[in-house]
Amino acid sequence: MTDAEKLAQVKSLMNITGADMDAQLAVFLTFAKNEILAWLYSGKTPDDVTDVPARYEPTQVMSVVAGYGLQGLENQTASTENAITRQFKYSNMIEFIRANVIPYAQVM
């Protein structure tokens, strides 16, 4: 899947129209890609690997949706404002990725 297709999926899931937020969402997608690869390869991503494996593309997209929704919560898993309580399974996008990506085992 191309970066443009991933961006289109994120925007569709978040009901975002127009291009006003494209740059910010692209940063989220790049951050998610880098974190997935770093976690998958234990920080030693092979030089020939430049994108997320196809099986983790949905994780990349959903991590952006989750991470975007958590902006401003500063790693909280619960928030109460004006008698409205919200709880989150993950405190940030990195936690979401690490819970949903299985790193490759390495022999040291």
Side-chain angles (χ1 to χ4, degrees):
M1 182 179 332
T2 67
D3 289 342
E5 290 170 327
K6 292 175 190 176
L7 179 62
Q9 278 190 353
V10 168
K11 289 173 66 174
S12 179
L13 288 167
M14 295 172 54
N15 199 25
I16 296 173
T17 56
D20 294 351
M21 301 182 64
D22 286 5
Q24 182 182 23
L25 294 174
V27 170
F28 272 85
L29 282 165
T30 300
F31 180 87
K33 175 182 80 171
N34 293 338
E35 181 58 29
I36 289 169
L37 293 177
W39 183 249
L40 188 61
Y41 293 102
S42 301
K44 300 172 187 141
T45 306
D47 293 335
D48 61 334
V49 176
T50 58
D51 207 355
V52 173
R55 74 173 184 244
Y56 288 121
E57 288 175 342
T59 303
Q60 181 184 13
V61 169
M62 291 309 297
S63 71
V64 171
V65 173
Y68 186 85
L70 293 170
Q71 284 188 104
L73 292 176
E74 292 81 30
N75 296 323
Q76 296 177 48
T77 55
S79 174
T80 302
E81 296 177 21
N82 299 324
I84 298 172
T85 302
R86 300 185 300 169
Q87 292 186 320
F88 309 97
K89 185 171 183 177
Y90 305 103
S91 64
N92 58 43
M93 193 163 87
I94 294 172
E95 192 176 310
F96 179 92
I97 289 168
R98 292 183 180 185
N100 291 285
V101 172
I102 302 169
Y104 292 122
Q106 293 183 347
V107 178
M108 303 298 257

